[in-house]
């Protein structure tokens, strides 16, 4: 599961944590490269499949889930994992996200969520906070952000979770559960972009994230929405599993 090549991400990029967690989960589950396909989109997070020794496919912007669906339908015995960014998944690929969740295709979808289009130099993405200044929003982002957990719940996703790239052991558990889940499993990962989104750095997330009690399997969708509306902290863990 290791590639000799080194990632070309910026120093401190949260994608390093996601890569480490994914590698660890695959090793712990004894999943070999022969039966695993990792599909990326376009963007910094979308390059992650390059740095794994598994079959990989880098698709067009926003189309990773459509490609992954085709792979899974033609070879159901394969583990199919998607890794794509927030712009890729909640922007141009939003339609694919909703429909893949609704169809409950048996794949794991990891979203590297940093609130910017990092690869193209930091434009505001669909999860950018209001007021965020960027090359496309020089006077501040005028829009409310997409809420990934609400979106997944309302699309009918039955495994809805959130991880944090700065807590690799916790994220590894999320990925392990997602791979083992029989259906569409979704993990929105809080991923610090150290170059273009300075406000949401590791210090910010260290203060905000709070693990959900992992002993409780939550199949109450109303409670999951309430959890997603929490303002004081950012809960990480499984919000909903059915
Ligand atoms: Fe990571 Fe941001 Fe650098 Fe992209 S621009 S590699 S997301 S730190």
């Amino acid at each position: 599961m290791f590639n000799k090549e080194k990632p070309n991400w910026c120093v401190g990029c949260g994608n390093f944590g996601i890569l480490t967690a994914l590698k660890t989960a695959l090793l712990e589950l004894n999943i070999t490269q022969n039966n695993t396909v990792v599909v990326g989109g376009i963007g910094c997070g979308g390059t992650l499949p390059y740095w794994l020794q598994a079959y990989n496919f880098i698709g067009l912007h926003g189309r990773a889930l459509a490609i992954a669906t085709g792979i899974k339908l033609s070879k159901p015995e394969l583990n199919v994992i998607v890794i794509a960014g927030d712009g890729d998944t909640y922007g141009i690929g939003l339609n694919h996200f909703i429909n893949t969740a609704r169809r409950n295709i048996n794949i794991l979808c990891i979203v590297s969520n940093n609130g910017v289009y990092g690869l193209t130099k930091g434009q505001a993405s669909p999860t950018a906070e209001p007021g965020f200044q960027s090359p496309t929003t020089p006077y501040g982002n005028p829009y409310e952000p997409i809420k990934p957990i609400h979106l997944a719940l309302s699309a009918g996703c039955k495994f809805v979770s959130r991880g944090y790239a700065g807590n690799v052991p916790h994220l590894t558990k999320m990925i392990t559960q997602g791979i083992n889940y029989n259906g569409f499993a979704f993990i929105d990962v809080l991923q610090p972009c150290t170059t273009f989104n300075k406000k949401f750095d590791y210090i910010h997330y260290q203060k905000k994230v709070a693990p959900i009690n992992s002993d409780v399997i939550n199949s109450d969708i109303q409670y999951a929405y309430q959890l997603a509306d929490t303002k004081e902290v950012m809960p990480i863990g499984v919000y909903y599993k059915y």
Side-chain angles (χ1 to χ4, degrees):
M1 287 293 164
F2 295 102
N3 191 334
K4 285 183 194 147
E5 302 296 323
K6 292 209 169 89
N8 56 0
W9 297 317
C10 309
V11 173
C13 174
N15 284 315
F16 285 104
I18 299 175
L19 177 62
T20 305
L22 179 56
K23 280 181 175 174
T24 309
L26 292 171
L27 285 169
E28 283 180 5
L29 292 169
N30 207 18
I31 289 175
T32 63
Q33 62 193 73
N34 295 336
N35 59 6
T36 305
V37 184
V38 185
V39 182
I42 300 296
C44 299
T47 66
L48 191 143
Y50 284 136
W51 323 116
L52 280 167
Q53 223 167 43
Y55 289 105
N56 68 53
F57 195 116
I58 308 294
L60 296 173
H61 199 209
R63 311 298 173 221
L65 283 168
I67 293 159
T69 298
I71 294 169
K72 190 67 186 178
L73 291 183
S74 58
K75 292 267 181 194
E77 69 276 17
L78 295 177
N79 298 297
V80 181
I81 299 168
V82 164
I83 171 81
D86 46 314
D88 215 347
T89 311
Y90 309 136
I92 192 168
L94 182 62
N95 172 33
H96 296 302
F97 178 74
I98 291 170
N99 283 296
T100 315
R102 180 176 68 82
R103 292 174 182 142
N104 202 22
I105 307 290
N106 188 9
I107 58 184
L108 168 63
C109 173
I110 302 170
V111 180
S112 183
N113 181 0
N114 55 25
V116 293
Y117 288 93
L119 192 72
T120 49
K121 306 281 184 264
Q123 298 86 351
S125 85
T127 54
E129 66 161 1
F132 177 69
Q133 287 187 305
S134 76
T136 47
T137 54
Y139 304 111
N141 176 25
Y143 306 118
E144 288 296 321
I146 275 188
K147 297 177 179 175
I149 302 293
H150 292 76
L151 179 67
L153 290 169
S154 62
C157 182
K158 295 178 174 56
F159 183 103
V160 180
S161 66
R162 171 169 275 157
Y164 166 46
N167 188 339
V168 172
H170 182 275
L171 182 57
T172 304
K173 280 189 200 154
M174 292 296 94
I175 293 175
T176 304
Q177 287 189 46
I179 291 172
N180 283 336
Y181 184 71
N182 187 21
F184 183 75
F186 163 62
I187 311 174
D188 178 72
V189 184
L190 304 169
Q191 179 253 313
C193 171
T194 47
T195 300
F196 293 113
N197 200 347
K198 306 274 186 197
K199 180 177 171 188
F200 292 90
D201 59 5
Y202 290 95
I203 295 169
H204 171 87
Y205 284 126
Q206 280 321 128
K207 288 181 190 156
K208 285 292 266 186
V209 297
I212 298 167
N213 184 352
S214 58
D215 296 336
V216 180
I217 296 173
N218 177 31
S219 56
D220 179 344
I221 198 162
Q222 294 309 327
Y223 179 70
Y225 278 113
Q226 279 175 23
L227 211 50
D229 279 331
T230 310
K231 296 276 186 296
E232 302 74 32
V233 294
M234 298 185 83
I236 53 170
V238 179
Y239 280 68
Y240 181 68
K241 185 175 172 188
Y242 190 75

